[in-house]
PDB file of all heavy atoms in Angstrom:
ATOM      1  N   ASN W1448      10.667  -3.143   5.981  1.00  0.00           N
ATOM      2  CA  ASN W1448      10.511  -3.689   7.297  1.00  0.00           C
ATOM      3  C   ASN W1448       9.152  -4.373   7.366  1.00  0.00           C
ATOM      4  O   ASN W1448       8.428  -4.426   6.393  1.00  0.00           O
ATOM      5  CB  ASN W1448      10.651  -2.640   8.386  1.00  0.00           C
ATOM      6  CG  ASN W1448       9.446  -1.703   8.477  1.00  0.00           C
ATOM      7  OD1 ASN W1448       8.644  -1.606   7.558  1.00  0.00           O
ATOM      8  ND2 ASN W1448       9.302  -1.022   9.553  1.00  0.00           N
ATOM      9  N   ARG W1449       8.779  -4.868   8.488  1.00  0.00           N
ATOM     10  CA  ARG W1449       7.551  -5.648   8.629  1.00  0.00           C
ATOM     11  C   ARG W1449       6.277  -4.809   8.498  1.00  0.00           C
ATOM     12  O   ARG W1449       5.180  -5.310   8.333  1.00  0.00           O
ATOM     13  CB  ARG W1449       7.531  -6.465   9.919  1.00  0.00           C
ATOM     14  CG  ARG W1449       7.546  -5.618  11.142  1.00  0.00           C
ATOM     15  CD  ARG W1449       7.665  -6.497  12.367  1.00  0.00           C
ATOM     16  NE  ARG W1449       7.795  -5.699  13.603  1.00  0.00           N
ATOM     17  CZ  ARG W1449       6.760  -5.414  14.385  1.00  0.00           C
ATOM     18  NH1 ARG W1449       5.570  -5.897  14.119  1.00  0.00           N
ATOM     19  NH2 ARG W1449       6.907  -4.675  15.414  1.00  0.00           N
ATOM     20  N   CYS W1450       6.420  -3.493   8.585  1.00  0.00           N
ATOM     21  CA  CYS W1450       5.247  -2.591   8.494  1.00  0.00           C
ATOM     22  C   CYS W1450       4.850  -2.289   7.093  1.00  0.00           C
ATOM     23  O   CYS W1450       3.714  -1.825   6.895  1.00  0.00           O
ATOM     24  CB  CYS W1450       5.556  -1.272   9.199  1.00  0.00           C
ATOM     25  SG  CYS W1450       5.798  -1.475  10.955  1.00  0.00           S
ATOM     26  N   CYS W1451       5.665  -2.480   6.157  1.00  0.00           N
ATOM     27  CA  CYS W1451       5.297  -2.064   4.745  1.00  0.00           C
ATOM     28  C   CYS W1451       6.022  -2.879   3.697  1.00  0.00           C
ATOM     29  O   CYS W1451       6.738  -2.359   2.894  1.00  0.00           O
ATOM     30  CB  CYS W1451       5.622  -0.550   4.601  1.00  0.00           C
ATOM     31  SG  CYS W1451       7.289  -0.102   5.049  1.00  0.00           S
ATOM     32  N   THR W1452       5.750  -4.144   3.763  1.00  0.00           N
ATOM     33  CA  THR W1452       6.408  -5.039   2.782  1.00  0.00           C
ATOM     34  C   THR W1452       5.738  -4.899   1.443  1.00  0.00           C
ATOM     35  O   THR W1452       4.564  -4.451   1.347  1.00  0.00           O
ATOM     36  CB  THR W1452       6.346  -6.514   3.258  1.00  0.00           C
ATOM     37  OG1 THR W1452       4.923  -6.903   3.231  1.00  0.00           O
ATOM     38  CG2 THR W1452       6.879  -6.695   4.662  1.00  0.00           C
ATOM     39  N   PRO W1453       6.389  -5.338   0.370  1.00  0.00           N
ATOM     40  CA  PRO W1453       5.751  -5.305  -0.914  1.00  0.00           C
ATOM     41  C   PRO W1453       4.434  -6.081  -0.960  1.00  0.00           C
ATOM     42  O   PRO W1453       3.451  -5.658  -1.594  1.00  0.00           O
ATOM     43  CB  PRO W1453       6.761  -5.928  -1.870  1.00  0.00           C
ATOM     44  CG  PRO W1453       8.090  -5.613  -1.216  1.00  0.00           C
ATOM     45  CD  PRO W1453       7.802  -5.704   0.269  1.00  0.00           C
ATOM     46  N   ASP W1454       4.368  -7.235  -0.217  1.00  0.00           N
ATOM     47  CA  ASP W1454       3.110  -7.999  -0.166  1.00  0.00           C
ATOM     48  C   ASP W1454       1.997  -7.208   0.507  1.00  0.00           C
ATOM     49  O   ASP W1454       0.852  -7.243   0.036  1.00  0.00           O
ATOM     50  CB  ASP W1454       3.344  -9.339   0.599  1.00  0.00           C
ATOM     51  CG  ASP W1454       4.130 -10.310  -0.214  1.00  0.00           C
ATOM     52  OD1 ASP W1454       4.291 -10.135  -1.435  1.00  0.00           O
ATOM     53  OD2 ASP W1454       4.657 -11.280   0.422  1.00  0.00           O
ATOM     54  N   GLN W1455       2.296  -6.517   1.556  1.00  0.00           N
ATOM     55  CA  GLN W1455       1.281  -5.694   2.255  1.00  0.00           C
ATOM     56  C   GLN W1455       0.848  -4.545   1.354  1.00  0.00           C
ATOM     57  O   GLN W1455      -0.348  -4.183   1.314  1.00  0.00           O
ATOM     58  CB  GLN W1455       1.843  -5.181   3.587  1.00  0.00           C
ATOM     59  CG  GLN W1455       1.953  -6.253   4.604  1.00  0.00           C
ATOM     60  CD  GLN W1455       2.750  -5.854   5.798  1.00  0.00           C
ATOM     61  OE1 GLN W1455       3.701  -5.084   5.687  1.00  0.00           O
ATOM     62  NE2 GLN W1455       2.354  -6.351   6.978  1.00  0.00           N
ATOM     63  N   MET W1456       1.751  -3.921   0.632  1.00  0.00           N
ATOM     64  CA  MET W1456       1.409  -2.883  -0.321  1.00  0.00           C
ATOM     65  C   MET W1456       0.489  -3.438  -1.426  1.00  0.00           C
ATOM     66  O   MET W1456      -0.512  -2.801  -1.800  1.00  0.00           O
ATOM     67  CB  MET W1456       2.655  -2.232  -0.931  1.00  0.00           C
ATOM     68  CG  MET W1456       3.401  -1.363   0.007  1.00  0.00           C
ATOM     69  SD  MET W1456       4.768  -0.622  -0.838  1.00  0.00           S
ATOM     70  CE  MET W1456       5.788  -0.114   0.561  1.00  0.00           C
ATOM     71  N   ASP W1457       0.859  -4.626  -1.925  1.00  0.00           N
ATOM     72  CA  ASP W1457      -0.017  -5.257  -2.931  1.00  0.00           C
ATOM     73  C   ASP W1457      -1.394  -5.554  -2.408  1.00  0.00           C
ATOM     74  O   ASP W1457      -2.395  -5.365  -3.086  1.00  0.00           O
ATOM     75  CB  ASP W1457       0.674  -6.550  -3.482  1.00  0.00           C
ATOM     76  CG  ASP W1457       1.896  -6.312  -4.298  1.00  0.00           C
ATOM     77  OD1 ASP W1457       2.126  -5.174  -4.706  1.00  0.00           O
ATOM     78  OD2 ASP W1457       2.636  -7.283  -4.523  1.00  0.00           O
ATOM     79  N   ASP W1458      -1.456  -6.039  -1.185  1.00  0.00           N
ATOM     80  CA  ASP W1458      -2.785  -6.356  -0.564  1.00  0.00           C
ATOM     81  C   ASP W1458      -3.605  -5.082  -0.440  1.00  0.00           C
ATOM     82  O   ASP W1458      -4.790  -5.101  -0.776  1.00  0.00           O
ATOM     83  CB  ASP W1458      -2.629  -6.978   0.827  1.00  0.00           C
ATOM     84  CG  ASP W1458      -2.091  -8.419   0.766  1.00  0.00           C
ATOM     85  OD1 ASP W1458      -2.126  -9.042  -0.273  1.00  0.00           O
ATOM     86  OD2 ASP W1458      -1.660  -8.924   1.850  1.00  0.00           O
ATOM     87  N   ALA W1459      -3.014  -3.996   0.082  1.00  0.00           N
ATOM     88  CA  ALA W1459      -3.734  -2.775   0.259  1.00  0.00           C
ATOM     89  C   ALA W1459      -4.190  -2.212  -1.103  1.00  0.00           C
ATOM     90  O   ALA W1459      -5.311  -1.761  -1.246  1.00  0.00           O
ATOM     91  CB  ALA W1459      -2.849  -1.753   0.973  1.00  0.00           C
ATOM     92  N   ARG W1460      -3.322  -2.265  -2.077  1.00  0.00           N
ATOM     93  CA  ARG W1460      -3.658  -1.771  -3.416  1.00  0.00           C
ATOM     94  C   ARG W1460      -4.809  -2.620  -3.988  1.00  0.00           C
ATOM     95  O   ARG W1460      -5.761  -2.101  -4.596  1.00  0.00           O
ATOM     96  CB  ARG W1460      -2.441  -1.829  -4.343  1.00  0.00           C
ATOM     97  CG  ARG W1460      -2.725  -1.122  -5.714  1.00  0.00           C
ATOM     98  CD  ARG W1460      -1.517  -1.068  -6.581  1.00  0.00           C
ATOM     99  NE  ARG W1460      -0.277  -0.526  -5.936  1.00  0.00           N
ATOM    100  CZ  ARG W1460      -0.115   0.767  -5.709  1.00  0.00           C
ATOM    101  NH1 ARG W1460      -1.021   1.650  -6.120  1.00  0.00           N
ATOM    102  NH2 ARG W1460       0.978   1.215  -5.159  1.00  0.00           N
ATOM    103  N   ARG W1461      -4.732  -3.962  -3.855  1.00  0.00           N
ATOM    104  CA  ARG W1461      -5.820  -4.799  -4.306  1.00  0.00           C
ATOM    105  C   ARG W1461      -7.167  -4.529  -3.654  1.00  0.00           C
ATOM    106  O   ARG W1461      -8.185  -4.485  -4.274  1.00  0.00           O
ATOM    107  CB  ARG W1461      -5.408  -6.305  -4.137  1.00  0.00           C
ATOM    108  CG  ARG W1461      -6.341  -7.283  -4.828  1.00  0.00           C
ATOM    109  CD  ARG W1461      -5.973  -8.717  -4.619  1.00  0.00           C
ATOM    110  NE  ARG W1461      -6.253  -9.112  -3.246  1.00  0.00           N
ATOM    111  CZ  ARG W1461      -5.407  -9.298  -2.212  1.00  0.00           C
ATOM    112  NH1 ARG W1461      -4.086  -9.093  -2.446  1.00  0.00           N
ATOM    113  NH2 ARG W1461      -5.755  -9.622  -1.018  1.00  0.00           N
ATOM    114  N   ILE W1462      -7.114  -4.256  -2.331  1.00  0.00           N
ATOM    115  CA  ILE W1462      -8.323  -3.975  -1.593  1.00  0.00           C
ATOM    116  C   ILE W1462      -8.869  -2.628  -2.060  1.00  0.00           C
ATOM    117  O   ILE W1462     -10.076  -2.450  -2.292  1.00  0.00           O
ATOM    118  CB  ILE W1462      -8.073  -3.939  -0.091  1.00  0.00           C
ATOM    119  CG1 ILE W1462      -7.777  -5.391   0.322  1.00  0.00           C
ATOM    120  CG2 ILE W1462      -9.243  -3.347   0.695  1.00  0.00           C
ATOM    121  CD1 ILE W1462      -7.077  -5.533   1.705  1.00  0.00           C
ATOM    122  N   ALA W1463      -7.973  -1.630  -2.250  1.00  0.00           N
ATOM    123  CA  ALA W1463      -8.426  -0.287  -2.745  1.00  0.00           C
ATOM    124  C   ALA W1463      -9.072  -0.439  -4.111  1.00  0.00           C
ATOM    125  O   ALA W1463     -10.103   0.163  -4.397  1.00  0.00           O
ATOM    126  CB  ALA W1463      -7.217   0.662  -2.741  1.00  0.00           C
ATOM    127  N   ASP W1464      -8.441  -1.208  -4.975  1.00  0.00           N
ATOM    128  CA  ASP W1464      -9.002  -1.486  -6.316  1.00  0.00           C
ATOM    129  C   ASP W1464     -10.358  -2.093  -6.280  1.00  0.00           C
ATOM    130  O   ASP W1464     -11.302  -1.703  -6.975  1.00  0.00           O
ATOM    131  CB  ASP W1464      -8.056  -2.377  -7.199  1.00  0.00           C
ATOM    132  CG  ASP W1464      -6.814  -1.648  -7.623  1.00  0.00           C
ATOM    133  OD1 ASP W1464      -6.783  -0.425  -7.574  1.00  0.00           O
ATOM    134  OD2 ASP W1464      -5.895  -2.373  -8.045  1.00  0.00           O
ATOM    135  N   GLY W1465     -10.532  -3.062  -5.328  1.00  0.00           N
ATOM    136  CA  GLY W1465     -11.814  -3.715  -5.126  1.00  0.00           C
ATOM    137  C   GLY W1465     -12.869  -2.775  -4.632  1.00  0.00           C
ATOM    138  O   GLY W1465     -14.065  -2.920  -4.892  1.00  0.00           O
ATOM    139  N   LEU W1466     -12.485  -1.769  -3.859  1.00  0.00           N
ATOM    140  CA  LEU W1466     -13.393  -0.734  -3.327  1.00  0.00           C
ATOM    141  C   LEU W1466     -13.542   0.385  -4.307  1.00  0.00           C
ATOM    142  O   LEU W1466     -14.330   1.296  -4.057  1.00  0.00           O
ATOM    143  CB  LEU W1466     -12.884  -0.220  -1.991  1.00  0.00           C
ATOM    144  CG  LEU W1466     -12.838  -1.214  -0.811  1.00  0.00           C
ATOM    145  CD1 LEU W1466     -12.166  -0.592   0.368  1.00  0.00           C
ATOM    146  CD2 LEU W1466     -14.276  -1.643  -0.463  1.00  0.00           C
ATOM    147  N   ASN W1467     -12.803   0.324  -5.417  1.00  0.00           N
ATOM    148  CA  ASN W1467     -12.854   1.388  -6.473  1.00  0.00           C
ATOM    149  C   ASN W1467     -12.456   2.736  -5.887  1.00  0.00           C
ATOM    150  O   ASN W1467     -13.103   3.755  -6.139  1.00  0.00           O
ATOM    151  CB  ASN W1467     -14.247   1.412  -7.087  1.00  0.00           C
ATOM    152  CG  ASN W1467     -14.143   2.142  -8.460  1.00  0.00           C
ATOM    153  OD1 ASN W1467     -13.136   2.098  -9.097  1.00  0.00           O
ATOM    154  ND2 ASN W1467     -15.280   2.769  -8.851  1.00  0.00           N
ATOM    155  N   ILE W1468     -11.367   2.750  -5.073  1.00  0.00           N
ATOM    156  CA  ILE W1468     -10.883   4.004  -4.506  1.00  0.00           C
ATOM    157  C   ILE W1468      -9.426   4.184  -4.938  1.00  0.00           C
ATOM    158  O   ILE W1468      -8.716   3.249  -5.152  1.00  0.00           O
ATOM    159  CB  ILE W1468     -10.992   4.029  -2.973  1.00  0.00           C
ATOM    160  CG1 ILE W1468     -10.162   2.911  -2.311  1.00  0.00           C
ATOM    161  CG2 ILE W1468     -12.456   3.912  -2.521  1.00  0.00           C
ATOM    162  CD1 ILE W1468     -10.077   3.021  -0.813  1.00  0.00           C
ATOM    163  N   PRO W1469      -8.966   5.441  -5.005  1.00  0.00           N
ATOM    164  CA  PRO W1469      -7.569   5.648  -5.347  1.00  0.00           C
ATOM    165  C   PRO W1469      -6.690   5.224  -4.206  1.00  0.00           C
ATOM    166  O   PRO W1469      -7.133   5.208  -3.015  1.00  0.00           O
ATOM    167  CB  PRO W1469      -7.454   7.200  -5.533  1.00  0.00           C
ATOM    168  CG  PRO W1469      -8.661   7.767  -4.929  1.00  0.00           C
ATOM    169  CD  PRO W1469      -9.730   6.688  -4.903  1.00  0.00           C
ATOM    170  N   PHE W1470      -5.460   4.826  -4.468  1.00  0.00           N
ATOM    171  CA  PHE W1470      -4.520   4.352  -3.444  1.00  0.00           C
ATOM    172  C   PHE W1470      -3.167   4.955  -3.667  1.00  0.00           C
ATOM    173  O   PHE W1470      -2.678   4.995  -4.821  1.00  0.00           O
ATOM    174  CB  PHE W1470      -4.428   2.812  -3.547  1.00  0.00           C
ATOM    175  CG  PHE W1470      -3.466   2.234  -2.521  1.00  0.00           C
ATOM    176  CD1 PHE W1470      -3.801   2.163  -1.207  1.00  0.00           C
ATOM    177  CD2 PHE W1470      -2.236   1.798  -2.924  1.00  0.00           C
ATOM    178  CE1 PHE W1470      -2.928   1.618  -0.262  1.00  0.00           C
ATOM    179  CE2 PHE W1470      -1.338   1.279  -1.999  1.00  0.00           C
ATOM    180  CZ  PHE W1470      -1.685   1.185  -0.707  1.00  0.00           C
ATOM    181  N   TYR W1471      -2.578   5.500  -2.612  1.00  0.00           N
ATOM    182  CA  TYR W1471      -1.279   6.098  -2.685  1.00  0.00           C
ATOM    183  C   TYR W1471      -0.325   5.500  -1.632  1.00  0.00           C
ATOM    184  O   TYR W1471      -0.715   5.248  -0.508  1.00  0.00           O
ATOM    185  CB  TYR W1471      -1.384   7.603  -2.375  1.00  0.00           C
ATOM    186  CG  TYR W1471      -2.283   8.338  -3.337  1.00  0.00           C
ATOM    187  CD1 TYR W1471      -3.584   8.640  -2.962  1.00  0.00           C
ATOM    188  CD2 TYR W1471      -1.872   8.729  -4.567  1.00  0.00           C
ATOM    189  CE1 TYR W1471      -4.495   9.283  -3.818  1.00  0.00           C
ATOM    190  CE2 TYR W1471      -2.710   9.420  -5.450  1.00  0.00           C
ATOM    191  CZ  TYR W1471      -3.999   9.690  -5.043  1.00  0.00           C
ATOM    192  OH  TYR W1471      -4.838  10.377  -5.888  1.00  0.00           O
ATOM    193  N   VAL W1472       0.916   5.267  -2.036  1.00  0.00           N
ATOM    194  CA  VAL W1472       1.997   4.846  -1.084  1.00  0.00           C
ATOM    195  C   VAL W1472       2.815   6.131  -0.895  1.00  0.00           C
ATOM    196  O   VAL W1472       3.377   6.637  -1.859  1.00  0.00           O
ATOM    197  CB  VAL W1472       2.810   3.702  -1.616  1.00  0.00           C
ATOM    198  CG1 VAL W1472       3.964   3.428  -0.640  1.00  0.00           C
ATOM    199  CG2 VAL W1472       1.955   2.453  -1.749  1.00  0.00           C
ATOM    200  N   LEU W1473       2.948   6.607   0.331  1.00  0.00           N
ATOM    201  CA  LEU W1473       3.644   7.783   0.633  1.00  0.00           C
ATOM    202  C   LEU W1473       5.054   7.387   1.163  1.00  0.00           C
ATOM    203  O   LEU W1473       5.157   6.612   2.097  1.00  0.00           O
ATOM    204  CB  LEU W1473       2.945   8.616   1.717  1.00  0.00           C
ATOM    205  CG  LEU W1473       1.528   9.028   1.353  1.00  0.00           C
ATOM    206  CD1 LEU W1473       0.901   9.740   2.547  1.00  0.00           C
ATOM    207  CD2 LEU W1473       1.503   9.895   0.115  1.00  0.00           C
ATOM    208  N   ASP W1474       6.078   7.943   0.550  1.00  0.00           N
ATOM    209  CA  ASP W1474       7.465   7.673   0.986  1.00  0.00           C
ATOM    210  C   ASP W1474       7.735   8.532   2.208  1.00  0.00           C
ATOM    211  O   ASP W1474       7.973   9.700   2.179  1.00  0.00           O
ATOM    212  CB  ASP W1474       8.440   7.991  -0.114  1.00  0.00           C
ATOM    213  CG  ASP W1474       9.834   7.569   0.219  1.00  0.00           C
ATOM    214  OD1 ASP W1474      10.100   7.183   1.375  1.00  0.00           O
ATOM    215  OD2 ASP W1474      10.678   7.572  -0.687  1.00  0.00           O
ATOM    216  N   THR W1475       7.654   7.880   3.389  1.00  0.00           N
ATOM    217  CA  THR W1475       7.747   8.530   4.677  1.00  0.00           C
ATOM    218  C   THR W1475       9.130   8.232   5.320  1.00  0.00           C
ATOM    219  O   THR W1475       9.363   8.636   6.457  1.00  0.00           O
ATOM    220  CB  THR W1475       6.625   8.009   5.598  1.00  0.00           C
ATOM    221  OG1 THR W1475       5.424   8.012   4.849  1.00  0.00           O
ATOM    222  CG2 THR W1475       6.456   8.897   6.805  1.00  0.00           C
ATOM    223  N   ARG W1476      10.005   7.629   4.588  1.00  0.00           N
ATOM    224  CA  ARG W1476      11.252   7.138   5.194  1.00  0.00           C
ATOM    225  C   ARG W1476      12.116   8.292   5.776  1.00  0.00           C
ATOM    226  O   ARG W1476      12.633   8.185   6.911  1.00  0.00           O
ATOM    227  CB  ARG W1476      12.111   6.376   4.168  1.00  0.00           C
ATOM    228  CG  ARG W1476      11.466   5.021   3.849  1.00  0.00           C
ATOM    229  CD  ARG W1476      12.174   4.313   2.719  1.00  0.00           C
ATOM    230  NE  ARG W1476      12.013   5.106   1.473  1.00  0.00           N
ATOM    231  CZ  ARG W1476      12.539   4.769   0.336  1.00  0.00           C
ATOM    232  NH1 ARG W1476      13.255   3.648   0.233  1.00  0.00           N
ATOM    233  NH2 ARG W1476      12.396   5.469  -0.749  1.00  0.00           N
ATOM    234  N   ASP W1477      12.275   9.374   5.053  1.00  0.00           N
ATOM    235  CA  ASP W1477      13.091  10.472   5.544  1.00  0.00           C
ATOM    236  C   ASP W1477      12.511  11.152   6.773  1.00  0.00           C
ATOM    237  O   ASP W1477      13.187  11.425   7.766  1.00  0.00           O
ATOM    238  CB  ASP W1477      13.361  11.514   4.484  1.00  0.00           C
ATOM    239  CG  ASP W1477      14.287  11.020   3.364  1.00  0.00           C
ATOM    240  OD1 ASP W1477      15.013  10.033   3.613  1.00  0.00           O
ATOM    241  OD2 ASP W1477      14.287  11.622   2.267  1.00  0.00           O
TER     242      ASP W1477
END
């Protein structure tokens, strides 16, 4: 959906990498 698209996940992961912090995507669907 519009809240968690692959592009948004990629952006967040790229930002986390740039900040040198770990990044997790939590499967919250259920």
Side-chain angles (χ1 to χ4, degrees):
N1448 73 340
R1449 63 186 176 97
C1450 294
C1451 51
T1452 67
D1454 287 344
Q1455 290 168 324
M1456 287 183 199
D1457 290 344
D1458 288 345
R1460 188 176 308 283
R1461 190 181 72 256
I1462 292 161
D1464 287 346
L1466 294 172
N1467 200 29
I1468 62 173
F1470 178 75
Y1471 302 98
V1472 175
L1473 304 176
D1474 188 349
T1475 315
R1476 291 175 294 180
D1477 288 343

